[in-house]
Amino acid sequence: MIDVIHDHAFHLYNQKISYLCSLLPNGQLGHLYFGPRLSLTDTDLDYLSQGSSPYAWMANFSNDQPFALGDAQQEYPVYGTGDFRQGSLSVTQDDAPVYPNFVFKDYRISHTKMRDLHHPTSFGNPALTDVLTIHLEDETAQLLLTLQYTIFSDSAAVVRAATLTNQGSEPVMIQRMLSGVLNLPQSRFDVVHLSGNWAKERHIQTQPLTQGTFSVESLRGASSHEQNPFVALHAVNRSFTSGDTYGANLIYSSNFLDSIEVNEWDQTRLLIGIHPASFSWRLDPKTSFTTPEAVFSFSSGGLAGLAQVNQRFVARHIIDPQWRQKTRPVVLNSWEATYFDLNEQKLLSLAKLGRQVGVDCFVLDDGWFGTRDNDLSSLGDWFTNKHKFPDGLGHFAQEIHDLGLQFGLWFEPEMVSPRSQFFQKHPNWVVRPKRGRFSITRNQYVLDFSNPAVVNNIFDQMQKVITETHLDYVKWDLNRSITEAYSPYLAKIGHPQGEFFHRYVQGVYTLYQKLLTAFPQLLIEGCAGGGGRFDLGILFYSPQIWTSDDSDAIERLAIQSGTALAYPLSCMSNHVTAVPNEQVGRTTPLATRFRVAAFGILGYELDLTKLTPKELATIKDQISYYHDLQPLVLNGDFSLLLPRQSNGQNQVAWLLSDHARKRLVLGFFRVLADADSRTVQYMKIPLAQPNRRYWVNGHTGPISGDVLQRVGVRLPIQFNGANREQAQLIGDYQSALLTFDGVTDIKAINRRREEEGKEKVGHV
């Protein structure tokens, strides 16, 4: 999977892609190609390496080298060296800029990329993994640059990281150090990004690239609700399912920058990494700094194809392998049923009903600790509220376990309330400036997680609760951004404040590492006021993340469509909640709420005691159906047939399939009723196998996969104002789930016909 050609070119490849780089005339490392797999010859390499002649007014690299960096496709460019585009690295020493000339030194190939809880990175089976490490050195500046490339045989992606080592005797300051760069020789792309706001996260946004710079970024201390580290470049004038498409994402959970620059010659440079505006790092002698990993992905099948590439990569090389096969619990969360007004009797009544309808885990949300009766107090005091649980939380947890349910708890580990014992004891453990005012949001301050003592204290508190309750599940929340970033701890130990944000998120990862080392079976669901920290760094530790605080089914169509461009269904936590919906006030059918939530990790967050017997029976059927569906959610292939994009189209379709294409599930969603809609509609099923026959919803068929591919499946008849007797979908916010079960032998078909009366989907 890695060929080294004449000691000056490096070809990383598998059956899907090729990534090619080689030495430039000045000894630096240049980029040649990233895209579909190449069958490369020496002649091809010579042709690709020729490059172009320097343009007018371009600075030559040196007097004796008629070569310029201004239009060179560099693997790790440094600004100010004749290349006036944005660079990957900026270094100073004694406040003077340093312009390193990193010349090739040596390389190494290995096959080990193990999972290490200390830092979130990609990982893989050694039999599927190749790692190329290239060392480049500037002897004058006494700096060593190490570029690491990882390719997996089962993924159309290349993972990159960079390490800078100070080999000198004096410290240097890193002012900017990004994770990776992708150079493309032309600019005919649309940039696609996932932007929005709280309760409207990760909507698909598209705009054309033009000369200049476009950026997606966060300076909030987390990857944020507003923008996401993932971006894509999609060939212009191509459909959602066609065209060369490149993706970039970052295995990181703090401030980031994705920058896409088109220069005067229509060359495109995509840079991704830690946001330099909030970062600096003192690199002492004989020490190193390593960037987070960047993931560059490719598909020739448009955004739809890239989504599948990204989903498979994350599922196989980011998420903890134990959660790929292990059943995820269907949770019943207490929040929208009780809020802060909770007691044992009320919670047990709710949990018992949850057990009756088939949930697997009861999650006690905010309000169980300290003196927490509202959001004004007690964050940081992670001990039992004895007024609400007079016999202790361990006793209540045992009652939940005795019902046959798993037990989960809500924590917000990174925050503290001014009205708390913790804050009174440790006022200097919060993020606050040395002098002057500082902000408070949601009645809480941010703890200084760059301080190991803070992390250790929170871990000790959480460990006691987890041990006492034999906890199965943690919901880890984060409900404010970081403002007035200043660490009293860093000031005390003499480190620059520019290190704060990176050290803070390293503290977050350390707490995860401590918890999962002590409790390796613990399921931790990430949450940040909903989807405010939905990134690959958190997914390394948390196999699922609360997708958004907006649980309205129609809003979720756009949120989940966008999220699926970069992340698998298995990491999207989706709850069925009460109507009218708390975030938008919309009333949608229970069936539609379930069908949207079923494309992910299902949960319920409503007061079951207020539902009718019929509604409870429906939920029981839904959960039973979902338990059967979940293996596809965890390990299947997902296709965005009709994603809900920023234009908000009226129909949405999602398709889920096992790898063998024996079972497929189509989710069809119609937002608003249309008086003149056709009474018959067909939806093509591209994943159906032509030589296989399928039963649709257990009783229609068998229908050949060829017909399903080329003609499509007949959708439920929609009401058009004149066909009420025939209509199956009437009114706004309607939906359908269609299940395709494949059979290949006639005896099985005949047996199935005998069982036609056993409807599989029912009224879920």
Side-chain angles (χ1 to χ4, degrees), residues 379-601:
L379 292 176
D381 295 342
W382 301 111
F383 51 81
T384 304
N385 185 321
K386 287 298 184 70
H387 174 70
K388 296 177 180 179
F389 300 94
D391 296 321
L393 197 61
H395 174 265
F396 176 72
Q398 186 59 52
E399 290 185 294
I400 296 298
H401 283 133
D402 287 345
L403 291 174
L405 294 172
Q406 298 177 30
F407 183 54
L409 280 176
W410 179 94
F411 289 88
E412 193 168 3
E414 301 160 67
M415 299 293 148
V416 66
S417 304
R419 287 170 46 186
S420 66
Q421 294 180 27
F422 188 102
F423 181 73
Q424 297 307 313
K425 187 176 181 180
H426 301 291
N428 290 324
W429 279 9
V430 301
V431 178
R432 58 191 298 178
K434 196 171 184 179
R435 61 180 66 88
R437 61 165 292 280
F438 56 101
S439 305
I440 187 167
T441 304
R442 289 183 53 118
N443 307 301
Q444 59 196 58
Y445 297 134
V446 181
L447 287 173
D448 183 2
F449 262 47
S450 71
N451 184 346
V454 176
V455 176
N456 291 335
N457 182 290
I458 297 300
F459 169 71
D460 289 342
Q461 291 193 65
M462 294 180 70
Q463 183 182 37
K464 290 178 183 178
V465 176
I466 294 169
T467 301
E468 177 190 1
T469 59
H470 301 284
L471 203 64
D472 303 288
Y473 173 106
V474 164
K475 179 182 176 182
W476 179 323
D477 213 340
L478 173 76
N479 278 306
R480 63 157 290 182
S481 300
I482 297 176
T483 56
E484 293 88 29
Y486 181 87
S487 166
Y489 167 75
L490 291 180
K492 181 179 178 180
I493 66 173
H495 276 257
Q497 291 296 321
E499 298 180 2
F500 166 73
F501 280 107
H502 186 66
R503 289 189 180 274
Y504 178 95
V505 78
Q506 295 299 315
V508 171
Y509 297 151
T510 297
L511 181 55
Y512 265 112
Q513 176 261 322
K514 286 176 171 289
L515 289 170
L516 293 175
T517 299
F519 309 100
Q521 306 302 315
L522 184 67
L523 173 57
I524 304 178
E525 176 171 300
C527 179
R533 197 159 62 181
F534 205 117
D535 56 66
L536 298 180
I538 295 301
L539 284 175
F540 179 84
Y541 300 101
S542 288
Q544 61 195 59
I545 299 175
W546 179 227
T547 314
S548 175
D549 271 354
D550 190 342
S551 58
D552 173 69
I554 303 307
E555 292 285 310
R556 278 295 190 102
L557 292 174
I559 294 169
Q560 291 173 218
S561 289
T563 305
L565 279 186
Y567 308 98
L569 297 191
S570 66
C571 70
M572 297 186 212
S573 179
N574 307 325
H575 289 182
V576 175
T577 58
V579 291
N581 176 264
E582 186 176 275
Q583 290 77 41
V584 299
R586 181 183 286 123
T587 298
T588 55
L590 179 57
T592 295
R593 281 176 272 156
F594 164 72
R595 289 165 184 162
V596 174
F599 285 87
I601 303 303

Side-chain angles (χ1 to χ4, degrees), residues 285-302:
K286 315 308 178 187
T287 64
S288 300
F289 179 83
T290 299
T291 68
E293 288 188 334
V295 182
F296 295 105
S297 52
F298 173 81
S299 173
S300 57

Side-chain angles (χ1 to χ4, degrees), residues 1-4 10-13 109-110 130-132 149 151:
M1 286 163 45
I2 298 178
D3 287 342
V4 180
F10 305 90
H11 183 199
L12 294 82
Y13 63 92
I109 295 174
S110 61
D130 282 286
V131 181
L132 171 66
Y149 301 78
I151 187 168

Side-chain angles (χ1 to χ4, degrees), residues 98 130 135 139 141 157 184 194 216 269 326 345 413-414 481 490 500 538 588 658 672 683 701:
V98 178
D130 282 286
H135 295 112
E139 294 183 352
L184 297 169
L194 305 177
V216 174
R269 173 175 288 176
K326 187 182 295 186
Q345 183 178 0
E414 301 160 67
S481 300
L490 291 180
F500 166 73
I538 295 301
T588 55
D658 65 357
L672 296 178
M683 176 71 65

Side-chain angles (χ1 to χ4, degrees), residues 722-748:
N723 64 342
R724 184 174 294 274
E725 291 185 0
Q726 296 84 18
Q728 297 166 289
L729 300 183
I730 300 177
D732 296 336
Y733 319 130
Q734 295 298 305
S735 62
L737 278 182
L738 301 179
T739 301
F740 305 84
D741 289 313
V743 291
T744 53
D745 75 80
I746 193 67
K747 290 181 179 179

Side-chain angles (χ1 to χ4, degrees), residues 552-742:
D552 173 69
I554 303 307
E555 292 285 310
R556 278 295 190 102
L557 292 174
I559 294 169
Q560 291 173 218
S561 289
T563 305
L565 279 186
Y567 308 98
L569 297 191
S570 66
C571 70
M572 297 186 212
S573 179
N574 307 325
H575 289 182
V576 175
T577 58
V579 291
N581 176 264
E582 186 176 275
Q583 290 77 41
V584 299
R586 181 183 286 123
T587 298
T588 55
L590 179 57
T592 295
R593 281 176 272 156
F594 164 72
R595 289 165 184 162
V596 174
F599 285 87
I601 303 303
L602 177 67
Y604 288 80
E605 191 169 337
L606 69 173
D607 191 346
L608 296 180
T609 66
K610 294 181 179 179
L611 301 186
T612 66
K614 182 179 179 181
E615 289 172 322
L616 291 173
T618 298
I619 289 176
K620 185 174 183 178
D621 286 346
Q622 290 174 347
I623 293 174
S624 176
Y625 177 84
Y626 179 77
H627 279 143
D628 187 46
L629 178 69
Q630 195 185 80
L632 291 187
V633 172
L634 295 180
N635 294 294
D637 294 323
F638 179 66
S639 296
L640 290 160
L641 297 187
L642 285 176
R644 189 163 171 84
Q645 302 187 62
S646 55
N647 59 2
Q649 73 275 14
N650 200 44
Q651 293 184 348
V652 174
W654 299 334
L655 183 63
L656 186 58
S657 170
D658 65 357
H659 297 318
R661 309 295 186 246
K662 291 182 178 179
R663 189 177 186 219
L664 299 87
V665 177
L666 173 70
F668 172 75
F669 308 94
R670 199 270 313 277
V671 178
L672 296 178
D674 182 358
D676 63 355
S677 63
R678 295 176 295 165
T679 57
V680 178
Q681 283 185 308
Y682 288 87
M683 176 71 65
K684 292 182 179 180
I685 309 299
L687 297 184
Q689 284 192 329
N691 60 349
R692 193 185 296 277
R693 292 176 175 269
Y694 294 87
W695 288 93
V696 181
N697 279 2
H699 61 84
T700 300
I703 303 170
S704 72
D706 192 44
V707 168
L708 292 174
Q709 266 197 14
R710 299 175 185 277
V711 179
V713 65
R714 184 184 295 112
L715 296 174
I717 298 171
Q718 301 181 43
F719 179 56
N720 63 8
N723 64 342
R724 184 174 294 274
E725 291 185 0
Q726 296 84 18
Q728 297 166 289
L729 300 183
I730 300 177
D732 296 336
Y733 319 130
Q734 295 298 305
S735 62
L737 278 182
L738 301 179
T739 301
F740 305 84
D741 289 313

